[in-house]
């Protein structure tokens, strides 16, 4: 059946209205890699080689100028049985990077995890272990000599308390395995920057101080060490406040620093408020790197939620990366962009809309809060977020008709899936139960 003219016009009007109301869901222009270059930084992502086609490949090539193979270069991947090598995925990633004018961070040579079982289960004398390690480094680094910009030579050598992790390498060779590995890597590719990489070393703490002391000692001994990788597998709301200070103290040792595996995970389901907070935290982490000259840049550990290790490892958690599972940029993407100096146009809040906070009910230590969002005739909203800061230690508990999170004194509430739209001349309300003591002053709320 042919559509009628009036039906067509109504359809067009609907499309136009949707376009006007749609948030800025397009990627920032210019792409992240251009923004990073302008700041003299790099922006990278971990990738899975087999996925580097279609939309995944387009985004990886367009937005990033460094790649790290997520698994493809680990010992267990490249030499699953002794003497039998599989370089397919690793080669594929390096070829892709060269075709897209990207650098590659090799990951990783000497680690306690994802080793082949023949290595883990073997019985080795110290001399044999040393030989195995040196041969592996010579072979793998040598294979890509001149093509890789950096190597995570040693991965995760420390326990949380700053003692050495008891691994195959440490138990067989003592702490000196680290110097041996770095020396072997330098010999195999003198141009590659050599890194030690670890997690939970982003802030100043016992583990990062152990790493700091190690790097200082290696430098003093003339062992080749060019950089420190701070993995940064972070939890929403827990970005260390000493991140920039910690980056700076490593830089002051005369080494480069890279944020090598950034992701910020949250309890699912994600809400607009959690994603907004995640944006702020991505922005803060990238800014901490931008602020320190010797911080070379940031790599995210997978750029899309469909290619993230989090849901498998932490059931119930996820949404940790800058793109959603359908490759749409999330607020976190814009956090990275703005930290790199990009300007992101967000849909403005219509001036005719506002939010009002009230306390309809209060008892000994509890109260009910209510917020009403109203739009005057001629203004409307398709989604909303209301934020405020409590002035007297109040705490939000259960909320209805909104998703609310409180971090310290800051509260952020966003629409539920069913009430994002506030029509012209209309209003929506949400409520919550809270606790108070002493006084319960009404905060100033902002609509965003
Ligand atoms: O992303 C990697 C995932 O696919 C693997 O299953 C996992 C196995 O440990 O390793 C992941 O990557 C790790 C990285 O190599 C080193 N730092 C921690 C990362 C997350 O586990």
């Amino acid at each position: 059946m042919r559509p009628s003219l009036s039906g067509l016009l109504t359809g067009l009007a609907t499309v136009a209205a949707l376009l006007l109301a749609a948030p800025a869901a397009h990627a920032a222009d210019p792409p992240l890699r251009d923004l990073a270059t302008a700041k003299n930084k790099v922006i990278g992502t971990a990738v899975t080689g087999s996925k580097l086609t279609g939309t995944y490949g387009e985004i990886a090539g367009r937005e990033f100028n460094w790649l790290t193979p997520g698994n493809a270069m680990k010992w267990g991947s490249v030499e699953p049985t002794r003497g039998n090598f599989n370089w397919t995925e690793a080669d594929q990633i390096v070829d892709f990077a060269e075709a897209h004018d990207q650098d590659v961070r090799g990951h990783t040579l000497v680690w306690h995890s994802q080793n082949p079982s023949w290595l883990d289960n073997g019985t080795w004398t110290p001399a044999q272990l040393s030989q195995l390690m040196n041969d592996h480094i010579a072979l793998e680094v040598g294979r890509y000599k001149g093509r890789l910009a950096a190597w995570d030579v040693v991965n995760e050598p420390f326990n949380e308390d700053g003692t050495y992790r008891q691994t195959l390498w440490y138990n067989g060779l003592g702490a000196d395995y680290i110097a041996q590995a770095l020396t072997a890597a330098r010999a195999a590719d003198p141009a590659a920057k050599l890194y030690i990489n670890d997690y939970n070393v982003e802030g100043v703490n016992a583990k990062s101080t152990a790493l700091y002391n190690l790097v200082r000692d290696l430098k003093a001994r003339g062992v080749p060490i060019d950089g420190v990788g701070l993995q940064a597998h972070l939890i929403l709301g827990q970005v260390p406040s000493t991140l920039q200070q910690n980056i700076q103290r490593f830089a002051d040792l005369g080494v480069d620093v890279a944020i090598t595996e950034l992701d910020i995970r949250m309890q699912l389901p994600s809400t607009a408020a959690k994603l907004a907070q995640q944006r702020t935290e991505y922005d803060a982490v990238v800014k901490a790197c931008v602020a320190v000259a010797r911080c070379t840049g940031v790599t995210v550990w997978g750029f899309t939620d469909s290619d993230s290790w989090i849901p498998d490892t932490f059931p119930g958690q996820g949404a940790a990366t800058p793109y959603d599972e359908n490759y749409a940029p999330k607020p976190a993407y814009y956090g990275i962009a703005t930290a790199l100096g990009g300007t992101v146009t967000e849909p403005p809040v219509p001036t005719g809309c506002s939010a009002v906070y009230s306390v309809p009910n209060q008892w000994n230590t509890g109260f009910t809060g209510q917020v009403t969002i109203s739009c005057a005739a001629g203004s409307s909203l398709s989604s909303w977020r209301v934020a405020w800061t409590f002035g007297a230690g109040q705490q939000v508990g259960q909320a209805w008709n909104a998703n609310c999170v409180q971090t310290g004194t800051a509260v952020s509430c966003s629409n539920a899936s069913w009430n994002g739209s506030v029509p012209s001349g209309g209003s929506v309300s949400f409520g919550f139960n809270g606790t108070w003591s002493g006084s319960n002053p009404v905060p100033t709320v902002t609509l965003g």
Side-chain angles (χ1 to χ4, degrees), residues 396-433:
V396 163
Q398 178 71 37
W400 50 94
N401 297 330
N403 297 301
C404 294
V405 284
Q406 180 164 354
T407 311
T409 56
V411 181
S412 176
C413 296
S414 55
N415 60 271
S417 57
W418 59 89
N419 66 356
S421 135
V422 184
S424 161
S427 66
V428 299
S429 293
F430 68 90
F432 61 90
N433 283 330

Side-chain angles (χ1 to χ4, degrees), residues 234 262-266 278 282 305 308 310 318-322 330:
L234 301 175
L262 176 62
D263 48 26
I264 303 180
R265 63 185 183 264
M266 63 182 69
Q278 187 188 45
Y282 263 92
D305 290 339
S308 167
I310 298 293
T321 79
K330 291 159 56 184

